[in-house]
Amino acid sequence: QVQLVESGGGLVQAGDSLRLSCAASGRTFSNYAMGWFRQAPGKEREAVASISGSGAHTYYGDSVKGRFTISRDSAKNTVYLQMNSLKPEDTAVYYCAASLRVSYAARTPSAYDYWGQGTQVTVSS
């Protein structure tokens, strides 16, 4: 059974940093895209960042460019999201996603086959 387990969320102040981790088990995703999405109350789920199977290509949403960095460790079957200079508008539940069909850094939820349970990130002003 495939599982994606996120960790690293929490309550921080504006300007602080957090590092989210997503550990996959049940199969390897080393050749496939993985990504981070977020959903704030009353808003649609949006793509935060994604990374290609090779790790060579990444995508970032406009609101996080220059502040967030996605990376992956294929040996550990894990993807990370380093979040710096956090803002109150970054407050959301963050979801990890993994694809079994695409290898590029996909930005649409439909490209992903597996999802984590989500981890809450709250940024106070």
Side-chain angles (χ1 to χ4, degrees), residues 8-20 83 86-88 90-92 94 119-125:
L11 171 63
V12 297
Q13 293 186 332
D16 285 351
S17 298
L18 277 176
R19 188 192 194 206
L20 304 183
M83 305 185 295
L86 282 161
K87 304 175 181 180
D90 294 318
T91 295
Y94 284 70
T119 185
Q120 177 70 46
V121 172
T122 303
V123 185
S124 63
S125 58

Side-chain angles (χ1 to χ4, degrees), residues 4 13 23 33 39 44 46 52 55 57 59-60 64 79-80 83 92 102 108-109 112 121:
L4 301 179
Q13 293 186 332
Q39 188 165 19
E44 292 187 355
E46 66 168 332
S52 63
H57 303 284
Y59 161 81
Y60 294 98
V64 306
V79 65
Y80 305 97
M83 305 185 295
V102 300
T108 57
Y112 294 90
V121 172

Side-chain angles (χ1 to χ4, degrees), residues 74-93:
S74 294
K76 295 182 179 180
N77 217 17
T78 299
V79 65
Y80 305 97
L81 185 67
Q82 178 66 43
M83 305 185 295
N84 298 330
S85 302
L86 282 161
K87 304 175 181 180
E89 49 264 44
D90 294 318
T91 295
V93 177

Side-chain angles (χ1 to χ4, degrees), residues 1-81:
Q1 183 180 358
V2 175
Q3 281 190 314
L4 301 179
V5 180
E6 301 105 332
S7 61
L11 171 63
V12 297
Q13 293 186 332
D16 285 351
S17 298
L18 277 176
R19 188 192 194 206
L20 304 183
S21 299
C22 171
S25 62
R27 69 153 296 142
T28 180
F29 293 97
S30 58
N31 294 321
Y32 296 100
M34 297 188 76
W36 289 95
F37 292 75
R38 68 186 182 187
Q39 188 165 19
K43 294 188 177 182
E44 292 187 355
R45 186 170 297 192
E46 66 168 332
V48 176
S50 61
I51 189 166
S52 63
S54 68
H57 303 284
T58 56
Y59 161 81
Y60 294 98
D62 288 341
S63 61
V64 306
K65 282 180 182 176
R67 299 188 298 122
F68 291 11
T69 302
I70 189 171
S71 61
R72 67 190 300 165
D73 184 334
S74 294
K76 295 182 179 180
N77 217 17
T78 299
V79 65
Y80 305 97
L81 185 67

